Amino acid sequence: ADIAVLDQHLEYGCDTNILGTDLVAQLRTKGYRGLICVRSANSAPEDRAVYAQAGAHCSFGKDQSMRDMIAEMKVVYVREILHKPLSMSAASRPEDTVFFRPL
């Protein structure tokens, strides 16, 4: 897959919960080179910083329209995946992570 969009709080029954940031870190560790985005109701600046630190390229609030989210993902995909050398991944440069707010 070229793009992974993850929620931060993934619930699988009453006892099993997985954080999207844990999955982001696992994807990065395993060498995933596609775009990783987090879409979450938790979209305060401190939440977005956590997503960036985990290695996500971008994050979106759930209140953002799908049309706007897709448009922004296209821009980030071209910049971060198609035009960035492999040695300059978002995991090594979290300060380059892009955050979007609804228009």
Side-chain angles (χ1 to χ4, degrees):
D2 289 335
I3 300 174
V5 180
L6 307 167
D7 194 349
Q8 174 60 354
H9 296 283
L10 303 163
E11 298 178 8
Y12 295 98
C14 17
D15 294 333
T16 306
N17 296 319
I18 299 172
L19 292 177
T21 47
D22 292 341
L23 292 176
V24 170
Q26 287 178 26
L27 287 168
R28 290 283 177 224
T29 299
K30 294 182 185 266
Y32 179 75
R33 292 192 175 139
L35 187 72
I36 300 177
C37 306
V38 175
R39 187 169 196 203
S40 180
N42 303 319
S43 58
E46 56 271 14
D47 296 313
R48 293 174 183 269
V50 169
Y51 309 147
Q53 188 64 35
H57 291 97
C58 53
S59 64
F60 306 96
K62 286 194 176 176
D63 57 344
Q64 187 163 358
S65 75
M66 188 63 70
R67 176 176 287 173
D68 290 343
M69 189 176 94
I70 290 169
E72 297 298 343
M73 280 194 298
K74 287 178 184 178
V75 171
V76 176
Y77 183 84
V78 168
R79 185 186 68 232
E80 296 295 323
I81 305 302
L82 295 181
H83 293 164
K84 186 177 275 192
L86 292 178
S87 63
M88 299 295 284
S89 70
S92 65
R93 295 178 46 181
E95 69 275 9
D96 288 344
T97 301
V98 179
F99 304 112
F100 299 100
R101 289 184 172 68
L103 298 174

